[in-house]
Amino acid sequence: GAVVSQHPSRVICKSGTSVKIECRSLDFQATTMFWYRQFPKQSLMLMATSNEGSKATYEQGVEKDKFLINHASLTLSTLTVTSAHPEDSSFYICSAATGMAGANVLTFGAGSRLTVL
Amino acid sequence: KQEVTQIPAALSVPEGENLVLNCSFTDSAIYNLQWFRQDPGKGLTSLLLIQSSQREQTSGRLNASLDKSSGRSTLYIAASQPGDSATYLCAVYGGATNKLIFGTGTLLAVQP
């Protein structure tokens, strides 16, 4: 079955540094990838939708200059949290879709837990 | 804007009980609906996927139904076990926004 690899699974960084999270579709081409954020005891909130070769579409309230998303190939999307602060500490999870309208099935990565000190 | 709501928010039952989790969504133009399980501090485990043309899916002790016209889905868990304790999330994909939107979640505790 389809597999999405997300790396790193855990990262701890100092306030002010930038952190990059990678999301790779291992055995299929993902025309669209979604990035979610989950705070403790809350549901997953969609941050942005990235399409290969074009700019990401951000949800309302998500700062595009802080959460940089790059989808440079059909198998890789990256989320960079720039100048991270403790309030950015969260669980980030990506999912990938094949883009076949009407039959879309999303596959999720295992998530990345970011802790900003 | 698609909104997905789950009721109840939390549920505690004794082992062996059959239970139903509810999910409702406001935009019925969806491709599919999925039920996920999430253990504390972990990622998502996909349980069942129902395409928009389907009415239900079954896997073991789990049965999920979909009534697209009324914007509702239910997840039925038979003979619950302590190992079923987790947060259950439904998510709908499609609609006018062509996104996967998650519900608010139901925290299930099955008491031994």
Side-chain angles (χ1 to χ4, degrees), chain A residues 49-96:
Chain A
T49 303
S50 72
N51 293 295
E52 185 266 337
S54 62
K55 290 184 178 181
T57 302
Y58 290 81
E59 295 300 299
Q60 190 173 9
V62 178
E63 300 175 58
K64 61 181 181 181
D65 293 331
K66 181 166 187 63
F67 299 100
L68 301 179
I69 292 173
N70 184 284
H71 194 160
S73 76
L74 285 171
T75 59
L76 174 64
S77 177
T78 60
L79 167 67
T80 301
V81 183
T82 62
S83 187
H85 288 93
E87 57 266 30
D88 298 324
S89 298
S90 188
F91 187 64
Y92 293 88
I93 190 166
C94 70
S95 68

Side-chain angles (χ1 to χ4, degrees), chain A residues 31 97-106, chain B residues 31-32 34 49 51 93 98:
Chain A
T31 55
T98 60
M100 295 172 60
N104 274 304
V105 176
L106 299 188
Chain B
Y31 293 138
N32 58 53
Q34 275 186 275
L49 167 71
Q51 298 290 356
Y93 186 51
N98 199 33

Side-chain angles (χ1 to χ4, degrees), chain A residues 3-7 22-28 30 33 35 73-78 94 96 109:
Chain A
V3 177
V4 171
S5 172
Q6 192 170 337
H7 178 80
E22 293 187 348
C23 180
R24 293 181 183 272
S25 57
L26 298 186
D27 49 4
F28 66 100
M33 288 187 175
W35 286 94
S73 76
L74 285 171
T75 59
L76 174 64
S77 177
T78 60
C94 70

